[in-house]
Amino acid sequence: MHGHPPPPPGQDLAPAGDDRPQAGPHRGRERPRRHRWFAGSLGTQVVKVFDLVAARTGLRDHEAAAAGRGWTPATTATRPDDHKAYYPGATPISIRVTGDTSSGLLLGAQLVGRRGAEISKRVDTYATALFHGMDVDGISELDLSYTPPLGSPWDAVQIAAQAWMNEHHLDVQRCMVADLARSPS
């Protein structure tokens, strides 16, 4: 396969985009065939209606209950701002997080906000967490970008996850279980 020539010595090349989508068919022809299976869809969707954007991924609580997996789903609704309130133009995002109260497993999320509130970016964060089987609490551990005009140190997706954890007291339950596991018998 032939690609772009390397940059001249002493110069860094910072492409504006990635060449993998264009080069993929060529690279695929040169590698031995590998069988890959589609991992499935989470049902991630986003739609713009006038100046609002609505998005969802995963399951809502009634869908999770009907899935027959033994989950005990619960949903928590929050309205964090899209960025720091002291910076002009902050708007609320309505976020609903659904998780399993037995295990803390993230099951789904729905978001509604203004067009400039990066709703599609934020639903993709939840979709990635779902794909990798993360707990709701794990969302708080993510290292997400931050600058006052565009976000907060705790992003709206993390604030919503923390609200779910607080409402369902899973952080307290996990600490108690960890303490019991550490105590001598």
Side-chain angles (χ1 to χ4, degrees):
M1 173 167 145
H2 301 288
H4 295 289
Q11 290 184 352
D12 291 326
L13 179 63
D18 191 347
D19 73 335
R20 284 180 288 185
Q22 294 83 9
H26 303 290
R27 289 183 180 139
R29 288 187 198 117
E30 293 184 27
R31 272 195 256 174
R33 293 207 181 263
R34 286 191 285 167
H35 295 287
R36 295 190 59 122
W37 289 271
F38 178 57
S41 173
L42 299 168
T44 305
Q45 306 168 12
V46 64
V47 62
K48 177 187 164 295
V49 180
F50 300 108
D51 197 31
L52 291 178
V53 177
R56 72 166 284 180
T57 189
L59 303 173
R60 294 174 57 199
D61 51 359
H62 68 278
E63 296 166 333
R69 300 262 182 106
W71 291 321
T72 309
T75 300
T76 298
T78 55
R79 285 181 52 94
D81 285 338
D82 66 335
H83 62 267
K84 292 303 289 179
Y86 63 76
Y87 201 89
T91 61
I93 302 172
S94 296
I95 303 177
R96 293 171 37 97
V97 174
T98 302
D100 177 27
T101 58
S102 300
S103 65
L105 182 68
L106 176 66
L107 300 175
Q110 302 88 46
L111 301 86
V112 177
R114 294 276 175 207
R115 184 170 181 225
E118 302 291 344
I119 300 301
S120 61
K121 168 201 177 236
R122 289 181 164 106
V123 78
D124 287 345
T125 302
Y126 284 118
T128 302
L130 281 166
F131 183 83
H132 290 286
M134 289 179 67
D135 293 343
V136 175
D137 193 34
I139 293 170
S140 292
E141 301 296 323
L142 297 175
D143 180 20
L144 302 177
S145 63
Y146 156 68
T147 186
L150 304 175
S152 299
W154 290 109
D155 190 77
V157 299
Q158 294 171 312
I159 292 169
Q162 292 163 3
W164 189 92
M165 290 297 293
N166 290 338
E167 183 174 328
H168 302 290
H169 307 292
L170 286 183
D171 51 346
V172 174
Q173 291 174 15
R174 287 185 179 175
C175 288
M176 291 172 60
V177 169
D179 288 344
L180 288 173
R182 282 192 295 259
S183 66
S185 299

